[in-house]
Amino acid sequence: MNPRAFSPRAVLVLVLLGVGLFAALLWQIGGGVAASRTDNGGAHAGGTGLNGFAGLNRLLQGEGYAVTLGRSEADWHTAGVLVLTPEAYADGEKLTKAVTEHRRVGPVVVIAPKWQTLTADTRQPGQRQGWVRINGTELPHWKGFLDDVAVDTRGFGHGARRVATSLKVPAPVLPDAMTVEVGQGERLLPFADAQGHVLAARYDETIPLSTDDEDEGEAKQAHPLFLVFEPDLLDNYGLSHADNAIWAADFFHRIGQPQGRVTFDVTFNGLGRAPNLLTLAFMPPYLAATLVLGLAVVAAMWRALLRFGPTLDEGRAIALGKASLLGNAAALMRRARRFHVLGAPYADASRARLARALSLPRQMKAEAVDAAIDRALAARRASGLAVPDQTFTSAAAQLARAQGEGEILALARTLHAIERIVIA
């Protein structure tokens, strides 16, 4: 049986793949990618139906604008042009809040809703996801937002009709002139109209912005607000005509900085996303902590990979035999720091071994045994053997009195060398 079923490289690939897929799942859950689709037939920047503004989104991207979808109220404070496409029964007070807050940092374009639609059946030939079928019209009802402006519908005949415009570009085309949405109000400054009816206008209102500079003589003024009552000027239905695309591009060039930022808000279309722990983990300043945690995980994986393979046999915790007994005794002495009690027993044991080797009587006293060992050691020295300078009697006495670990070890080695010479 192969003890290593997988190579370290294969394990590393499997682990990294699993971690990557798990991180992607967390990002999708936190970002709401899997929870909401933008091509749901709605009248917003992700809508690909006749009433949607996906065409305007792509047009502005092609013109060099940095186009983003605003999915939270925090995006109302992003500099650039904010495009709002509220539904017919959107909260007017919330809409007022969005417009007022963003006008401090950039222009606002509010496009009114118009068409009632039904989602197309994708099971039928030629139908795609996000397409719709027109099922009538519905005017905006935004109580609390520009209540001095009224919205109504007019009919200007069958088929497509061009409208008058104040911009020096080809006049846009109304794809369905039978139902045209118009606005009425004293503060409207029209820049697109049909037979005297306002289709798009700038709202003539001056909102002073608060300033922290007390020395500044005049307060800063809010950025302009533009109202597009007839959505077919900018939606996918209208942009099917090339003149409408030219007119829309010129319109945004005039109201916003060329190649600037355009934010399409989708919170009023049910596609908003509230912040959560997962999204915050990948946003500053919490992104730093997430990266540190990721590096810690990588370090742990690397350490685990280095020891990957068959586990080494560490042996018994308590070994068997004399070696175990000696090892345990030595460990106990080392832990207790009782080295001074080792010298005398070791000297006595060495004396007993040498006495047996020299065939000395058992009842002989220790002093006589030491003298006999010294005579035997002197005889070895006289025969030309390399003998330690220290006698056995002196080394044994010093070892019995020794206290330090180094001193005990050195004297024990001397006695061991004497034993090897005498017994050999």
PDB file of all heavy atoms in Angstrom, residues 388-419:
ATOM      1  N   PRO A 388      45.685   8.322  31.901  1.00  0.00           N
ATOM      2  CA  PRO A 388      45.411   9.661  32.429  1.00  0.00           C
ATOM      3  C   PRO A 388      46.389  10.020  33.522  1.00  0.00           C
ATOM      4  O   PRO A 388      46.866   9.162  34.287  1.00  0.00           O
ATOM      5  CB  PRO A 388      43.978   9.536  32.964  1.00  0.00           C
ATOM      6  CG  PRO A 388      43.379   8.403  32.192  1.00  0.00           C
ATOM      7  CD  PRO A 388      44.490   7.443  31.937  1.00  0.00           C
ATOM      8  N   ASP A 389      46.718  11.287  33.636  1.00  0.00           N
ATOM      9  CA  ASP A 389      47.657  11.750  34.646  1.00  0.00           C
ATOM     10  C   ASP A 389      47.089  11.598  36.054  1.00  0.00           C
ATOM     11  O   ASP A 389      47.845  11.433  37.005  1.00  0.00           O
ATOM     12  CB  ASP A 389      48.023  13.217  34.392  1.00  0.00           C
ATOM     13  CG  ASP A 389      48.747  13.392  33.050  1.00  0.00           C
ATOM     14  OD1 ASP A 389      49.360  12.417  32.584  1.00  0.00           O
ATOM     15  OD2 ASP A 389      48.651  14.500  32.469  1.00  0.00           O
ATOM     16  N   GLN A 390      45.798  11.660  36.172  1.00  0.00           N
ATOM     17  CA  GLN A 390      45.152  11.619  37.481  1.00  0.00           C
ATOM     18  C   GLN A 390      44.978  10.166  37.926  1.00  0.00           C
ATOM     19  O   GLN A 390      44.632   9.289  37.126  1.00  0.00           O
ATOM     20  CB  GLN A 390      43.792  12.324  37.426  1.00  0.00           C
ATOM     21  CG  GLN A 390      43.241  12.680  38.787  1.00  0.00           C
ATOM     22  CD  GLN A 390      42.020  13.581  38.658  1.00  0.00           C
ATOM     23  OE1 GLN A 390      41.497  13.744  37.573  1.00  0.00           O
ATOM     24  NE2 GLN A 390      41.582  14.160  39.769  1.00  0.00           N
ATOM     25  N   THR A 391      45.237   9.915  39.205  1.00  0.00           N
ATOM     26  CA  THR A 391      45.053   8.569  39.750  1.00  0.00           C
ATOM     27  C   THR A 391      43.585   8.318  40.022  1.00  0.00           C
ATOM     28  O   THR A 391      42.784   9.251  40.109  1.00  0.00           O
ATOM     29  CB  THR A 391      45.841   8.388  41.044  1.00  0.00           C
ATOM     30  OG1 THR A 391      45.329   9.304  42.022  1.00  0.00           O
ATOM     31  CG2 THR A 391      47.333   8.632  40.810  1.00  0.00           C
ATOM     32  N   PHE A 392      43.267   7.015  40.201  1.00  0.00           N
ATOM     33  CA  PHE A 392      41.872   6.680  40.496  1.00  0.00           C
ATOM     34  C   PHE A 392      41.444   7.228  41.835  1.00  0.00           C
ATOM     35  O   PHE A 392      40.324   7.719  41.998  1.00  0.00           O
ATOM     36  CB  PHE A 392      41.700   5.157  40.448  1.00  0.00           C
ATOM     37  CG  PHE A 392      40.308   4.719  40.788  1.00  0.00           C
ATOM     38  CD1 PHE A 392      39.307   4.701  39.820  1.00  0.00           C
ATOM     39  CD2 PHE A 392      39.972   4.339  42.084  1.00  0.00           C
ATOM     40  CE1 PHE A 392      38.025   4.311  40.121  1.00  0.00           C
ATOM     41  CE2 PHE A 392      38.672   3.960  42.398  1.00  0.00           C
ATOM     42  CZ  PHE A 392      37.696   3.939  41.403  1.00  0.00           C
ATOM     43  N   THR A 393      42.356   7.146  42.813  1.00  0.00           N
ATOM     44  CA  THR A 393      42.004   7.617  44.166  1.00  0.00           C
ATOM     45  C   THR A 393      41.642   9.097  44.134  1.00  0.00           C
ATOM     46  O   THR A 393      40.634   9.546  44.715  1.00  0.00           O
ATOM     47  CB  THR A 393      43.182   7.377  45.120  1.00  0.00           C
ATOM     48  OG1 THR A 393      43.510   5.971  45.128  1.00  0.00           O
ATOM     49  CG2 THR A 393      42.850   7.819  46.527  1.00  0.00           C
ATOM     50  N   SER A 394      42.453   9.894  43.442  1.00  0.00           N
ATOM     51  CA  SER A 394      42.193  11.332  43.375  1.00  0.00           C
ATOM     52  C   SER A 394      40.905  11.632  42.609  1.00  0.00           C
ATOM     53  O   SER A 394      40.077  12.448  43.047  1.00  0.00           O
ATOM     54  CB  SER A 394      43.369  12.027  42.709  1.00  0.00           C
ATOM     55  OG  SER A 394      43.096  13.404  42.490  1.00  0.00           O
ATOM     56  N   ALA A 395      40.701  10.972  41.469  1.00  0.00           N
ATOM     57  CA  ALA A 395      39.509  11.239  40.656  1.00  0.00           C
ATOM     58  C   ALA A 395      38.236  10.830  41.374  1.00  0.00           C
ATOM     59  O   ALA A 395      37.223  11.537  41.337  1.00  0.00           O
ATOM     60  CB  ALA A 395      39.624  10.510  39.308  1.00  0.00           C
ATOM     61  N   ALA A 396      38.265   9.672  42.077  1.00  0.00           N
ATOM     62  CA  ALA A 396      37.072   9.217  42.797  1.00  0.00           C
ATOM     63  C   ALA A 396      36.730  10.157  43.939  1.00  0.00           C
ATOM     64  O   ALA A 396      35.559  10.459  44.202  1.00  0.00           O
ATOM     65  CB  ALA A 396      37.298   7.792  43.311  1.00  0.00           C
ATOM     66  N   ALA A 397      37.771  10.642  44.668  1.00  0.00           N
ATOM     67  CA  ALA A 397      37.517  11.563  45.779  1.00  0.00           C
ATOM     68  C   ALA A 397      36.934  12.879  45.270  1.00  0.00           C
ATOM     69  O   ALA A 397      36.003  13.443  45.862  1.00  0.00           O
ATOM     70  CB  ALA A 397      38.815  11.799  46.552  1.00  0.00           C
ATOM     71  N   GLN A 398      37.491  13.385  44.190  1.00  0.00           N
ATOM     72  CA  GLN A 398      36.966  14.647  43.634  1.00  0.00           C
ATOM     73  C   GLN A 398      35.532  14.470  43.117  1.00  0.00           C
ATOM     74  O   GLN A 398      34.691  15.363  43.264  1.00  0.00           O
ATOM     75  CB  GLN A 398      37.881  15.133  42.514  1.00  0.00           C
ATOM     76  CG  GLN A 398      39.253  15.587  42.983  1.00  0.00           C
ATOM     77  CD  GLN A 398      40.107  16.067  41.833  1.00  0.00           C
ATOM     78  OE1 GLN A 398      39.605  16.327  40.740  1.00  0.00           O
ATOM     79  NE2 GLN A 398      41.415  16.194  42.074  1.00  0.00           N
ATOM     80  N   LEU A 399      35.264  13.333  42.505  1.00  0.00           N
ATOM     81  CA  LEU A 399      33.917  13.095  41.983  1.00  0.00           C
ATOM     82  C   LEU A 399      32.888  13.018  43.099  1.00  0.00           C
ATOM     83  O   LEU A 399      31.757  13.493  42.962  1.00  0.00           O
ATOM     84  CB  LEU A 399      33.903  11.815  41.156  1.00  0.00           C
ATOM     85  CG  LEU A 399      32.573  11.442  40.500  1.00  0.00           C
ATOM     86  CD1 LEU A 399      32.116  12.554  39.552  1.00  0.00           C
ATOM     87  CD2 LEU A 399      32.693  10.114  39.744  1.00  0.00           C
ATOM     88  N   ALA A 400      33.274  12.458  44.241  1.00  0.00           N
ATOM     89  CA  ALA A 400      32.340  12.371  45.372  1.00  0.00           C
ATOM     90  C   ALA A 400      31.994  13.737  45.926  1.00  0.00           C
ATOM     91  O   ALA A 400      30.907  13.947  46.481  1.00  0.00           O
ATOM     92  CB  ALA A 400      32.932  11.476  46.465  1.00  0.00           C
ATOM     93  N   ARG A 401      32.930  14.716  45.779  1.00  0.00           N
ATOM     94  CA  ARG A 401      32.685  16.064  46.297  1.00  0.00           C
ATOM     95  C   ARG A 401      32.168  17.024  45.228  1.00  0.00           C
ATOM     96  O   ARG A 401      31.816  18.158  45.544  1.00  0.00           O
ATOM     97  CB  ARG A 401      33.991  16.618  46.879  1.00  0.00           C
ATOM     98  CG  ARG A 401      34.544  15.828  48.056  1.00  0.00           C
ATOM     99  CD  ARG A 401      35.680  16.595  48.702  1.00  0.00           C
ATOM    100  NE  ARG A 401      36.753  16.865  47.755  1.00  0.00           N
ATOM    101  CZ  ARG A 401      37.794  16.063  47.545  1.00  0.00           C
ATOM    102  NH1 ARG A 401      37.903  14.910  48.193  1.00  0.00           N
ATOM    103  NH2 ARG A 401      38.749  16.400  46.684  1.00  0.00           N
ATOM    104  N   ALA A 402      32.125  16.633  43.981  1.00  0.00           N
ATOM    105  CA  ALA A 402      31.759  17.551  42.886  1.00  0.00           C
ATOM    106  C   ALA A 402      30.291  17.985  43.002  1.00  0.00           C
ATOM    107  O   ALA A 402      29.417  17.213  43.427  1.00  0.00           O
ATOM    108  CB  ALA A 402      32.014  16.886  41.539  1.00  0.00           C
ATOM    109  N   GLN A 403      30.015  19.248  42.565  1.00  0.00           N
ATOM    110  CA  GLN A 403      28.667  19.818  42.636  1.00  0.00           C
ATOM    111  C   GLN A 403      28.126  20.198  41.260  1.00  0.00           C
ATOM    112  O   GLN A 403      26.942  20.011  40.976  1.00  0.00           O
ATOM    113  CB  GLN A 403      28.678  21.081  43.531  1.00  0.00           C
ATOM    114  CG  GLN A 403      29.116  20.837  44.954  1.00  0.00           C
ATOM    115  CD  GLN A 403      28.085  20.035  45.749  1.00  0.00           C
ATOM    116  OE1 GLN A 403      26.887  20.176  45.515  1.00  0.00           O
ATOM    117  NE2 GLN A 403      28.576  19.205  46.662  1.00  0.00           N
ATOM    118  N   GLY A 404      28.954  20.726  40.400  1.00  0.00           N
ATOM    119  CA  GLY A 404      28.500  21.212  39.099  1.00  0.00           C
ATOM    120  C   GLY A 404      28.344  20.103  38.074  1.00  0.00           C
ATOM    121  O   GLY A 404      29.022  19.061  38.123  1.00  0.00           O
ATOM    122  N   GLU A 405      27.440  20.325  37.119  1.00  0.00           N
ATOM    123  CA  GLU A 405      27.168  19.326  36.094  1.00  0.00           C
ATOM    124  C   GLU A 405      28.392  19.093  35.213  1.00  0.00           C
ATOM    125  O   GLU A 405      28.750  17.937  34.907  1.00  0.00           O
ATOM    126  CB  GLU A 405      25.978  19.795  35.230  1.00  0.00           C
ATOM    127  CG  GLU A 405      25.602  18.833  34.127  1.00  0.00           C
ATOM    128  CD  GLU A 405      24.421  19.349  33.308  1.00  0.00           C
ATOM    129  OE1 GLU A 405      23.902  20.439  33.644  1.00  0.00           O
ATOM    130  OE2 GLU A 405      24.038  18.655  32.339  1.00  0.00           O
ATOM    131  N   GLY A 406      29.103  20.147  34.827  1.00  0.00           N
ATOM    132  CA  GLY A 406      30.281  20.007  33.973  1.00  0.00           C
ATOM    133  C   GLY A 406      31.421  19.291  34.678  1.00  0.00           C
ATOM    134  O   GLY A 406      32.110  18.438  34.089  1.00  0.00           O
ATOM    135  N   GLU A 407      31.637  19.631  35.944  1.00  0.00           N
ATOM    136  CA  GLU A 407      32.719  18.992  36.707  1.00  0.00           C
ATOM    137  C   GLU A 407      32.441  17.509  36.893  1.00  0.00           C
ATOM    138  O   GLU A 407      33.340  16.664  36.758  1.00  0.00           O
ATOM    139  CB  GLU A 407      32.862  19.696  38.053  1.00  0.00           C
ATOM    140  CG  GLU A 407      34.014  19.160  38.904  1.00  0.00           C
ATOM    141  CD  GLU A 407      34.078  19.841  40.269  1.00  0.00           C
ATOM    142  OE1 GLU A 407      33.160  20.659  40.572  1.00  0.00           O
ATOM    143  OE2 GLU A 407      35.025  19.554  41.025  1.00  0.00           O
ATOM    144  N   ILE A 408      31.210  17.162  37.230  1.00  0.00           N
ATOM    145  CA  ILE A 408      30.845  15.749  37.421  1.00  0.00           C
ATOM    146  C   ILE A 408      31.057  14.971  36.133  1.00  0.00           C
ATOM    147  O   ILE A 408      31.597  13.850  36.140  1.00  0.00           O
ATOM    148  CB  ILE A 408      29.383  15.648  37.883  1.00  0.00           C
ATOM    149  CG1 ILE A 408      29.233  16.215  39.301  1.00  0.00           C
ATOM    150  CG2 ILE A 408      28.892  14.214  37.827  1.00  0.00           C
ATOM    151  CD1 ILE A 408      27.799  16.291  39.773  1.00  0.00           C
ATOM    152  N   LEU A 409      30.662  15.554  34.999  1.00  0.00           N
ATOM    153  CA  LEU A 409      30.799  14.867  33.724  1.00  0.00           C
ATOM    154  C   LEU A 409      32.271  14.638  33.372  1.00  0.00           C
ATOM    155  O   LEU A 409      32.666  13.552  32.902  1.00  0.00           O
ATOM    156  CB  LEU A 409      30.107  15.678  32.625  1.00  0.00           C
ATOM    157  CG  LEU A 409      30.094  15.054  31.228  1.00  0.00           C
ATOM    158  CD1 LEU A 409      29.393  13.715  31.247  1.00  0.00           C
ATOM    159  CD2 LEU A 409      29.417  16.002  30.240  1.00  0.00           C
ATOM    160  N   ALA A 410      33.133  15.622  33.609  1.00  0.00           N
ATOM    161  CA  ALA A 410      34.560  15.483  33.288  1.00  0.00           C
ATOM    162  C   ALA A 410      35.224  14.399  34.137  1.00  0.00           C
ATOM    163  O   ALA A 410      36.009  13.558  33.631  1.00  0.00           O
ATOM    164  CB  ALA A 410      35.269  16.823  33.482  1.00  0.00           C
ATOM    165  N   LEU A 411      34.943  14.372  35.453  1.00  0.00           N
ATOM    166  CA  LEU A 411      35.539  13.359  36.336  1.00  0.00           C
ATOM    167  C   LEU A 411      35.011  11.970  36.021  1.00  0.00           C
ATOM    168  O   LEU A 411      35.751  10.971  36.105  1.00  0.00           O
ATOM    169  CB  LEU A 411      35.271  13.728  37.792  1.00  0.00           C
ATOM    170  CG  LEU A 411      35.980  14.997  38.295  1.00  0.00           C
ATOM    171  CD1 LEU A 411      35.491  15.397  39.680  1.00  0.00           C
ATOM    172  CD2 LEU A 411      37.512  14.776  38.327  1.00  0.00           C
ATOM    173  N   ALA A 412      33.712  11.902  35.655  1.00  0.00           N
ATOM    174  CA  ALA A 412      33.157  10.595  35.287  1.00  0.00           C
ATOM    175  C   ALA A 412      33.838  10.051  34.043  1.00  0.00           C
ATOM    176  O   ALA A 412      34.089   8.834  33.930  1.00  0.00           O
ATOM    177  CB  ALA A 412      31.660  10.730  35.069  1.00  0.00           C
ATOM    178  N   ARG A 413      34.147  10.907  33.080  1.00  0.00           N
ATOM    179  CA  ARG A 413      34.865  10.468  31.881  1.00  0.00           C
ATOM    180  C   ARG A 413      36.273   9.977  32.234  1.00  0.00           C
ATOM    181  O   ARG A 413      36.797   9.020  31.631  1.00  0.00           O
ATOM    182  CB  ARG A 413      34.930  11.610  30.881  1.00  0.00           C
ATOM    183  CG  ARG A 413      33.595  11.906  30.198  1.00  0.00           C
ATOM    184  CD  ARG A 413      33.700  13.119  29.306  1.00  0.00           C
ATOM    185  NE  ARG A 413      32.443  13.326  28.586  1.00  0.00           N
ATOM    186  CZ  ARG A 413      32.169  14.401  27.836  1.00  0.00           C
ATOM    187  NH1 ARG A 413      33.110  15.372  27.724  1.00  0.00           N
ATOM    188  NH2 ARG A 413      31.028  14.522  27.223  1.00  0.00           N
ATOM    189  N   THR A 414      36.916  10.650  33.216  1.00  0.00           N
ATOM    190  CA  THR A 414      38.248  10.200  33.643  1.00  0.00           C
ATOM    191  C   THR A 414      38.194   8.796  34.233  1.00  0.00           C
ATOM    192  O   THR A 414      39.019   7.926  33.906  1.00  0.00           O
ATOM    193  CB  THR A 414      38.828  11.187  34.660  1.00  0.00           C
ATOM    194  OG1 THR A 414      38.909  12.485  34.069  1.00  0.00           O
ATOM    195  CG2 THR A 414      40.214  10.739  35.131  1.00  0.00           C
ATOM    196  N   LEU A 415      37.205   8.526  35.108  1.00  0.00           N
ATOM    197  CA  LEU A 415      37.060   7.202  35.685  1.00  0.00           C
ATOM    198  C   LEU A 415      36.743   6.164  34.611  1.00  0.00           C
ATOM    199  O   LEU A 415      37.225   5.016  34.679  1.00  0.00           O
ATOM    200  CB  LEU A 415      35.968   7.205  36.755  1.00  0.00           C
ATOM    201  CG  LEU A 415      36.263   8.018  38.037  1.00  0.00           C
ATOM    202  CD1 LEU A 415      35.133   7.832  39.049  1.00  0.00           C
ATOM    203  CD2 LEU A 415      37.592   7.593  38.645  1.00  0.00           C
ATOM    204  N   HIS A 416      35.927   6.565  33.637  1.00  0.00           N
ATOM    205  CA  HIS A 416      35.593   5.635  32.567  1.00  0.00           C
ATOM    206  C   HIS A 416      36.835   5.279  31.740  1.00  0.00           C
ATOM    207  O   HIS A 416      37.033   4.115  31.335  1.00  0.00           O
ATOM    208  CB  HIS A 416      34.522   6.256  31.658  1.00  0.00           C
ATOM    209  CG  HIS A 416      34.098   5.347  30.552  1.00  0.00           C
ATOM    210  ND1 HIS A 416      33.414   4.172  30.775  1.00  0.00           N
ATOM    211  CD2 HIS A 416      34.265   5.436  29.203  1.00  0.00           C
ATOM    212  CE1 HIS A 416      33.161   3.573  29.614  1.00  0.00           C
ATOM    213  NE2 HIS A 416      33.677   4.335  28.633  1.00  0.00           N
ATOM    214  N   ALA A 417      37.679   6.291  31.486  1.00  0.00           N
ATOM    215  CA  ALA A 417      38.920   6.027  30.746  1.00  0.00           C
ATOM    216  C   ALA A 417      39.836   5.092  31.544  1.00  0.00           C
ATOM    217  O   ALA A 417      40.497   4.191  30.983  1.00  0.00           O
ATOM    218  CB  ALA A 417      39.628   7.340  30.439  1.00  0.00           C
ATOM    219  N   ILE A 418      39.919   5.286  32.884  1.00  0.00           N
ATOM    220  CA  ILE A 418      40.735   4.404  33.728  1.00  0.00           C
ATOM    221  C   ILE A 418      40.211   2.976  33.664  1.00  0.00           C
ATOM    222  O   ILE A 418      40.969   2.007  33.578  1.00  0.00           O
ATOM    223  CB  ILE A 418      40.768   4.941  35.164  1.00  0.00           C
ATOM    224  CG1 ILE A 418      41.536   6.289  35.246  1.00  0.00           C
ATOM    225  CG2 ILE A 418      41.401   3.924  36.124  1.00  0.00           C
ATOM    226  CD1 ILE A 418      41.487   6.965  36.580  1.00  0.00           C
ATOM    227  N   GLU A 419      38.882   2.830  33.688  1.00  0.00           N
ATOM    228  CA  GLU A 419      38.308   1.498  33.616  1.00  0.00           C
ATOM    229  C   GLU A 419      38.702   0.809  32.299  1.00  0.00           C
ATOM    230  O   GLU A 419      39.060  -0.376  32.272  1.00  0.00           O
ATOM    231  CB  GLU A 419      36.785   1.584  33.703  1.00  0.00           C
ATOM    232  CG  GLU A 419      36.268   1.880  35.093  1.00  0.00           C
ATOM    233  CD  GLU A 419      34.728   1.793  35.139  1.00  0.00           C
ATOM    234  OE1 GLU A 419      34.182   0.815  34.587  1.00  0.00           O
ATOM    235  OE2 GLU A 419      34.089   2.714  35.696  1.00  0.00           O
TER     236      GLU A 419
END
